[in-house]
Amino acid sequence: MSTLRDLVEEHTSLQPADIDHLHRLAGDWQLLSDLSFADLLLWVPTGGHDTFLCVAQVRPTTAPTAYQDDQVGRTVGGPEVAHLTIAYQQGRIWREGDPVWYGDVPARHEAIPVRLRDEEGEPGEVIGVIGRDTNLSTARTPSQLELNYLTTADDLAQMMADGTFPPARHRGETTSAPRVGDGLIRLDASGKVTYASPNAQSAFRRLGFASHLVGEDLAALAARLADDPLEGTDASARILASLGGEAPSRKEIEARGATVLTRALPLMPAGVPIGALVLVRDVTEVRLRDRALVTKDATIREIHHRVKNNLQTVAALLRLQARRVEVPAAKTALEESVRRVASIALVHETLSMSNDEAVEFDGIVDRVASAAAEVGTTASSVAMRRVGTFGVLPAEIATSLVMVLNELLINAVEHGFPEIDGVGGVGEVVVSARRHRKELHVTVVDDGKGLPAEFDPEKGGKLGLQIVRALVTGELRGTIDLRAGEERGTHAEIVVPLTKR
């Protein structure tokens, strides 16, 4: 199914700013649908003003839908769209007409023109029409809640026709929460509450307000309830801003251990400020879980930090021991152990600065490669180069893979470019990485002297290569192919699955 933008660009000549406005509308119109107890369909004219294409649809969460089938992509014309044509050409909300039938579902038609205000703030041309279609099969009692919902919906519909709804979305706000069912408060022009839904009343009870909200000055009440006076003043200012025609960003109010998310929207049908709509949602449990996760993440990062410190301490002790050992073989073994411990510490250092159990692996590889180049003989000149990107890897893969690469790079430097008669080797080691079909393919290639003629890739090698095979086939559940290069040098290829264990 094509997206709203695809359909509009293909079938209309609307400008990018118009399309962006329709996108913003489709991101915020669930509010109008729920208040209206009706389906909303966004229609744009194609090939004149007597044929319309449906480019978006939303169903109400407060009432049964009028359409069981998806209407997006449907093109209609003739008498069936007379109401859309009138709204489009005359630029007014159409509410006349008798109910129509969709199969065995009776529905009431309405049409709302959609405008975008120009740079001077004046209403522009009609760029689309909202069809508001209500399922009439279920008899409804005109309760106080329903009457307030419908009244507010009509105000927002007029603002849509005026080009003042929906408001611009604030940076960082990606959802339209809270929604109508979470809690709704309607304010008059002076900021007094004229209606509060049961859920809104319950949300403010969690904040410590036990009386009825109707008749209260909501801005003053928010400032009085908040635990933090500065936060309360900010919440109050946003409610007052909505009464002045602004659409401030969402704000959380915290009091008595409870947290309520608020969103204030101005009500300005025909450009006249008549009050505001305040949506509220009790997010206490959500914030408690968020804080628990933050605490858990901080604890995990602290653990990684301490592990890193402990590993560095171990490496330092081994380094001191290596300086005191006079047996060359023992000294070499201790130095190799220092490098292995240090490579693991690199992963834990990165994890201690990450918000999850994953690391950006390219930086770790670059540091390991730089350290490996330094362990060669002083007379050698071996360049290290990385091609491609490893990307973000989970900690369980990164810890084993960094040890594997450390061993391969050390072997390439030490054995591929040995010092001969006091003259060091010169060459290059290239580490390549690419992802393919949920697998990570890694190659380590050098242009050194290559493998001995009698080398057995399955059994040969010292402790370093034995560690490599054990980690790749065991911990990483992958494969390793170690062979001589086509012309010279050594070629090691590792394939590691990236799927969860």
Side-chain angles (χ1 to χ4, degrees):
M1 176 62 68
S2 299
T3 64
L4 184 155
R5 184 176 296 274
D6 294 335
L7 289 170
V8 174
E9 289 179 345
E10 180 180 354
H11 296 280
T12 74
S13 58
L14 291 177
Q15 299 302 307
D18 299 328
I19 300 175
D20 289 341
H21 183 72
L22 295 180
H23 258 292
R24 193 166 64 251
L25 171 61
D28 230 352
W29 66 348
Q30 184 70 58
L31 170 63
L32 180 59
S33 177
D34 290 343
L35 289 171
S36 303
F37 306 98
D39 292 75
L40 300 183
L41 280 67
L42 176 56
W43 300 92
V44 292
T46 60
H49 298 163
D50 56 353
T51 304
F52 289 82
L53 169 69
C54 181
V55 296
Q57 174 184 4
V58 63
R59 294 181 172 89
T61 62
T62 53
T65 180
Y67 299 96
Q68 296 300 323
D69 298 327
D70 188 16
Q71 302 297 303
V72 176
R74 178 183 172 214
T75 301
V76 294
E80 188 176 356
V81 296
H83 62 301
L84 302 178
T85 302
I86 293 173
Y88 185 83
Q89 293 181 343
Q90 299 182 13
R92 68 176 179 87
I93 298 177
W94 184 92
R95 292 192 175 96
E96 305 87 34
D98 298 325
V100 296
W101 290 83
Y102 298 120
D104 57 352
V105 177
R108 180 175 64 248
H109 265 336
E110 293 179 74
I112 307 166
V114 178
R115 285 188 176 89
L116 172 63
R117 296 233 159 189
D118 58 25
E119 295 180 356
E120 286 74 30
E122 297 297 324
E125 298 294 326
V126 177
I127 60 176
V129 180
I130 294 291
R132 182 163 62 170
D133 301 331
T134 307
N135 186 333
L136 300 176
S137 61
T138 303
R140 308 186 66 90
T141 302
S143 64
Q144 187 181 17
L145 180 145
E146 180 171 305
L147 291 175
N148 276 276
Y149 275 23
L150 292 174
T151 300
T152 305
D154 288 342
D155 292 335
L156 293 179
Q158 184 60 56
M159 292 172 63
M160 189 183 297
D162 298 337
T164 57
F165 182 86
R169 178 162 290 175
H170 294 273
R171 184 183 299 274
E173 292 184 346
T174 58
T175 67
S176 58
R179 296 190 173 186
V180 170
D182 297 326
L184 178 145
I185 300 172
R186 180 165 177 135
L187 307 180
D188 62 17
S190 67
K192 296 291 198 309
V193 177
T194 60
Y195 174 76
S197 70
N199 283 345
Q201 188 72 53
S202 296
F204 271 80
R205 285 184 183 275
R206 293 289 302 273
L207 294 176
F209 184 71
S211 303
H212 291 292
L213 284 171
V214 174
E216 289 289 331
D217 183 328
L218 191 65
L221 178 63
R224 189 168 70 248
L225 289 177
D227 288 338
D228 186 335
L230 292 178
E231 292 296 316
T233 300
D234 187 19
S236 175
R238 298 189 192 206
I239 295 173
L240 294 175
S242 68
L243 295 172
E246 299 179 27
S249 58
R250 296 161 179 78
K251 177 65 180 176
E252 290 184 359
I253 302 174
E254 296 186 6
R256 297 192 177 185
T259 306
V260 172
L261 175 64
T262 65
R263 182 192 185 194
L265 292 169
L267 294 177
M268 301 177 58
V272 179
I274 63 171
L277 171 67
V278 181
L279 300 173
V280 300
R281 180 185 178 187
D282 183 355
V283 294
T284 304
E285 299 304 321
V286 176
R287 292 297 171 261
L288 288 175
R289 288 196 296 268
D290 288 346
R291 293 188 185 103
L293 288 174
V294 169
T295 302
K296 179 182 177 182
D297 290 342
T299 302
I300 292 174
R301 288 197 298 272
E302 177 62 21
I303 290 173
H304 284 301
H305 180 72
R306 294 187 182 187
V307 170
K308 182 262 296 184
N309 288 345
N310 290 338
L311 289 172
Q312 289 179 337
T313 301
V314 171
L317 292 173
L318 291 173
R319 192 177 294 111
L320 287 173
Q321 188 65 43
R323 292 173 182 171
R324 295 174 177 270
V325 173
E326 297 180 357
V327 179
K331 186 179 185 71
T332 300
L334 288 172
E335 290 174 346
E336 289 177 351
S337 298
V338 169
R339 291 192 292 269
R340 287 164 186 153
V341 172
S343 67
I344 300 175
L346 275 178
V347 176
H348 286 282
E349 180 182 6
T350 305
L351 287 170
S352 69
M353 297 181 288
S354 172
N355 290 326
D356 52 23
E357 288 293 287
V359 295
E360 183 66 50
F361 201 67
D362 290 345
I364 294 176
V365 173
D366 293 342
R367 292 174 66 179
V368 169
S370 177
E374 296 175 358
V375 303
T377 58
T378 56
S380 298
S381 177
V382 181
M384 293 285 181
R385 183 162 59 93
R386 174 172 57 83
V387 177
T389 179
F390 288 81
V392 177
L393 296 179
E396 59 182 359
I397 292 178
T399 304
S400 298
L401 186 58
V402 71
M403 289 191 64
V404 169
L405 291 175
N406 180 65
E407 297 295 336
L408 291 176
L409 293 172
I410 293 294
N411 278 343
V413 173
E414 288 188 338
H415 304 297
F417 308 95
E419 183 177 333
I420 301 176
D421 297 331
V423 178
V426 177
E428 182 181 50
V429 180
V430 179
V431 182
S432 302
R434 67 183 180 90
R435 297 191 180 213
H436 179 66
R437 294 180 179 178
K438 296 184 179 181
E439 291 180 336
L440 178 63
H441 294 250
V442 183
T443 59
V444 179
V445 180
D446 67 69
D447 56 0
K449 72 173 187 176
L451 297 170
E454 69 280 4
F455 181 79
D456 183 348
E458 297 298 325
K459 300 179 181 179
K462 296 183 180 180
L463 176 62
L465 288 180
Q466 293 175 15
I467 292 175
V468 168
R469 290 194 195 92
L471 289 173
V472 171
T473 59
E475 292 296 319
L476 296 175
R477 301 178 296 116
T479 60
I480 180 171
D481 178 23
L482 187 63
R483 63 182 185 274
E486 295 182 0
E487 297 182 0
R488 57 180 298 183
T490 305
H491 185 108
E493 181 173 1
I494 302 167
V495 180
V496 178
L498 296 175
T499 54
K500 292 184 179 181
R501 301 183 184 184

